[in-house]
Amino acid sequence: MQDDVFEDLVREQMLLTRFALQGVAPKDRDVPLDRSAVILLSRLHAQGPMAVAELAEAFDMDVSTIHRQTTAAMKAELLERIPDPDGGIARKLRPTEEGVRRLTAELEARKQGFARILEDWSEGEVLQFVDYLRRYNEAIESRRGKNWPR
């Protein structure tokens, strides 16, 4: 493939990330969750309780970084520590009811933001866009050996 195609891809991916991080919130929404809280809550909601070390492994990040993020989420009452449901020694983290409520509201706001941005796209175009994004993310996950629970 030509180098200019990848140059375009780098620019468009950079802009996609920038716009995705900005978000477009409805006026009646709570304070938006920060990126790390959304990712933590999403993973724990999808996969179930996990220890800090398991989260660090899943995200391929330092334990200290995950510890800092989970501590902030616990202070915000979005996560709670529980005994390991499987009887292990390490305590696990799971979303609180407030964490699930805030995650649900955040994801709904993001869905509405996408709906507004893509309102003049056909359903087929949106489905194709989703398919390409999924394939892109799955290719990254495959190379890193860190699949996201879907």
Side-chain angles (χ1 to χ4, degrees), residues 37 40-41 68-80:
L40 284 169
L41 288 167
R68 193 169 46 254
Q69 292 175 353
T70 58
T71 298
M74 285 190 300
K75 284 182 183 175
E77 299 182 354
L78 302 173
L79 292 178
E80 62 186 350

Side-chain angles (χ1 to χ4, degrees), residues 63-100:
V63 171
S64 62
T65 300
I66 296 296
H67 187 268
R68 193 169 46 254
Q69 292 175 353
T70 58
T71 298
M74 285 190 300
K75 284 182 183 175
E77 299 182 354
L78 302 173
L79 292 178
E80 62 186 350
R81 287 194 189 282
I82 61 167
D84 185 344
D86 298 325
I89 296 172
R91 299 195 30 104
K92 304 250 177 164
L93 295 161
R94 75 173 174 202
T96 62
E97 286 183 29
E98 177 67 4
V100 172

